Amino acid sequence: MFFFTYLARELRRRLRQAILIALGLAVGVGLVLTVTAASAGVRNAQAGVLKGLYGVGTDVTVSGGAIPAPSGTAVPSGAVQITITPNGAEMCSDGKCHSLKNGYTQSNVVPTTGWVSATDVAKVAALHDVAAAVGGLLLTDNTITISETGGSPPSSFTVDGLDLANLKLGPVSNAVLSSGKMFTPADANKNVAVVDSDYATANNLKVGKTIKIGGVAFTIIGSVTQPQGNTPPNVYIPLARAQAIASAGPAGGTLKGSVNTIYVTAASAADINAVASEISKLLPSATVTTASSLASEVTGSVTTAAKLVNDLGKWLSVLVLIAAFAVAALLTMAGVARRVREFGTLKALGWRGRRIVGQVMAESLAVGVAGAALGVGLGYAGVAIIDKVAPKLSETLPAQSGGANILQGTTTANGVTKSIGAATQTVSVPLTTTIDIAAIIAAVLLALAGGLLAGAFGSWRTGRLRPADALASVG
């Protein structure tokens, strides 16, 4: 009981010094919490963007390489070429041309990238470190309609063929159903579609209506909403139907039994790089993407902020902590030096050196606890300020281009060829800073460590003094 009474009395006697030490530790702890929260907020913002692009549970995405180019420079046999001139529109095939009437529509569905056999999905799934793999077929529907003025650039929308046996892996794994219903395995061979909610709103597409894909009518059974930062396909259909209506290129050809995207989940996070390497060896012509490699393609203020927080914030926190600990140690040592006579008297009364050291350490620990509590409060205040004044962040995301080529997705008017497709998309990303329990615990431990370190420096020499030396030093 006397120990705690003496402890409280000494802290009251040296209240100004205790407050200064506690404030120094609090500033260091508060800064660490603020920087940690800001860093976590930036990481979460970028993770949200990547999550939207990537899909929940998808560790590795495999996409086909470039679309195979037709051999030779001439238009392939059987290919159809539409040319729009001031005198009207005409369609040519195998050297024969004829005029097109007003209202004529030409629709072609082509893959956005090269493709591989669907059997490769099973090969990927059989790899040692792979937990699951599912294939998909990402397509672009390019439509040209001849009007009274001769025609216009083609309209286009993207279509994703989904393997309905495993919707928890891939592009709709993170989607939220807005209306209607989601696919079931029984829909695998039906002409049914689920549309992106934004695309549905823009084009007045509702559940129960139909949408033509490659000239085939599909009934809309539902709409889904994807996370912010996503660049989702406009329409989702069963994989088997996507393979049936897609054209392999200008010369035609079927894509039955083919996919151009494979979504892969690894057995564990530590296996992701190994999985990517194994897939690259198995499918050398394909493009293998992981979340980390995708992050390197994302640019914008979120990326800049992440680098700034991770680099500058880390070193700033370290420097402030060193300064806080140094100030605490110096103030404690100065205070202990003024108490040499007091400690000499206590030793003369029978106190052992370790008891004196324990007394000083307990005082420093109490100051550290106060600094920790105040530092946590400062950390929350810093987070609140960041949330209020933080500028809007943005990300520039890589987007898959439409698979346009000589016949699909291009028109020629007055000698000028036009094509569609965007290379990037910029989205706004909210920054929400949060302080988790782990960060608070770490901050409290830092403050306690600072207090104990200061007490250790201050009491070590005094605890070793003999009573006569301690009393003589102030004589």
Side-chain angles (χ1 to χ4, degrees):
M1 189 66 182
F2 173 75
F3 176 84
F4 294 104
T5 302
Y6 186 68
L7 173 66
R9 185 178 68 83
E10 290 303 316
L11 289 176
R12 286 196 302 270
R13 284 181 57 194
R14 296 167 179 79
L15 185 60
R16 183 180 299 177
Q17 175 182 303
I19 290 176
L20 287 176
I21 295 174
L23 282 176
L25 294 174
V27 170
V29 169
L31 181 61
V32 170
L33 280 177
T34 302
V35 171
T36 301
S39 179
V42 172
R43 286 197 305 269
N44 291 337
Q46 191 171 60
V49 174
L50 297 179
K51 185 178 181 181
L53 279 172
Y54 220 59
V56 174
T58 302
D59 296 319
V60 181
T61 299
V62 184
S63 57
I67 297 176
S71 59
T73 57
V75 176
S77 176
V80 177
Q81 185 173 19
I82 296 176
T83 303
I84 300 173
T85 68
N87 298 323
E90 63 178 15
M91 182 171 64
C92 301
S93 178
D94 294 335
K96 299 179 180 179
C97 302
H98 64 273
S99 300
L100 298 177
K101 295 181 179 180
N102 182 40
Y104 174 82
T105 299
Q106 172 73 16
S107 180
N108 292 293
V109 181
V110 293
T112 59
T113 65
W115 52 92
V116 297
S117 172
T119 57
D120 290 325
V121 179
K123 294 178 182 178
V124 170
L127 293 175
H128 179 265
D129 297 314
V130 173
V134 64
L137 188 60
L138 188 59
L139 309 168
T140 302
D141 182 300
N142 299 303
T143 301
I144 300 175
T145 300
I146 305 304
S147 64
E148 293 180 356
T149 57
S152 60
S155 62
S156 176
F157 60 91
T158 53
V159 182
D160 203 350
L162 306 178
D163 186 343
L164 306 190
N166 190 357
L167 294 178
K168 293 182 180 180
L169 181 60
V172 295
S173 56
N174 199 36
V176 177
L177 191 65
S178 300
S179 62
K181 64 178 184 178
M182 182 50 76
F183 295 114
T184 65
D187 296 322
N189 293 296
K190 295 180 181 178
N191 289 340
V192 291
V194 171
V195 295
D196 177 73
S197 58
D198 291 337
Y199 183 75
T201 300
N203 292 274
N204 194 29
L205 298 174
K206 298 180 179 180
V207 174
K209 286 190 173 183
T210 60
I211 180 173
K212 283 194 173 183
I213 305 173
V216 179
F218 283 75
T219 301
I220 299 172
I221 62 171
S223 67
V224 294
T225 300
Q226 294 280 16
Q228 170 72 12
N230 199 351
T231 52
N234 303 128
V235 184
Y236 305 93
I237 62 175
L239 177 60
R241 300 304 303 137
Q243 292 169 333
I245 65 174
S247 170
T254 179
L255 285 179
K256 288 184 179 180
S258 300
V259 297
N260 62 358
T261 308
I262 304 175
Y263 304 97
V264 183
T265 181
S268 71
D271 295 329
I272 293 176
N273 290 335
V275 167
S277 178
E278 292 172 0
I279 295 174
S280 295
K281 293 177 181 178
L282 178 66
L283 304 173
S285 62
T287 301
V288 181
T289 307
T290 64
S292 59
S293 62
L294 182 62
S296 66
E297 298 180 36
V298 178
T299 60
S301 58
V302 169
T303 304
T304 303
K307 292 179 179 179
L308 179 63
V309 171
N310 289 335
D311 297 337
L312 178 61
K314 177 177 65 178
W315 293 110
L316 181 62
S317 298
V318 170
L319 291 175
V320 170
L321 279 176
I322 292 174
F325 288 4
V327 169
L330 289 174
L331 289 175
T332 302
M333 291 176 66
V336 170
R338 291 193 296 269
R339 298 169 64 185
V340 172
R341 182 176 183 181
E342 173 189 339
F343 293 141
T345 303
L346 291 174
K347 279 203 166 189
L349 293 175
W351 279 42
R352 294 179 179 273
R354 62 173 176 269
R355 185 175 180 183
I356 294 176
V357 172
Q359 183 69 40
V360 176
M361 294 286 283
E363 294 174 10
S364 298
L365 184 62
V367 173
V369 171
L374 185 58
V376 171
L378 290 177
Y380 274 104
V383 166
I385 293 173
I386 290 177
D387 286 339
K388 288 290 185 182
V389 304
K392 292 183 179 180
L393 303 179
S394 63
E395 289 281 36
T396 301
L397 309 172
Q400 291 176 306
S401 60
N405 52 48
I406 191 171
L407 299 178
Q408 289 81 18
T410 62
T411 59
T412 302
N414 299 324
V416 178
T417 300
K418 297 182 179 180
S419 62
I420 58 173
T424 60
Q425 179 189 21
T426 300
V427 298
S428 298
V429 183
L431 174 61
T432 303
T433 54
T434 56
I435 300 178
D436 57 20
I437 297 299
I440 293 177
I441 293 174
V444 171
L445 292 177
L446 282 173
L448 297 181
L452 290 174
L453 186 64
F457 277 112
S459 62
W460 177 75
R461 182 174 177 274
T462 302
R464 298 181 61 189
L465 287 175
R466 291 181 301 170
D469 295 334
L471 293 172
S473 65
V474 294

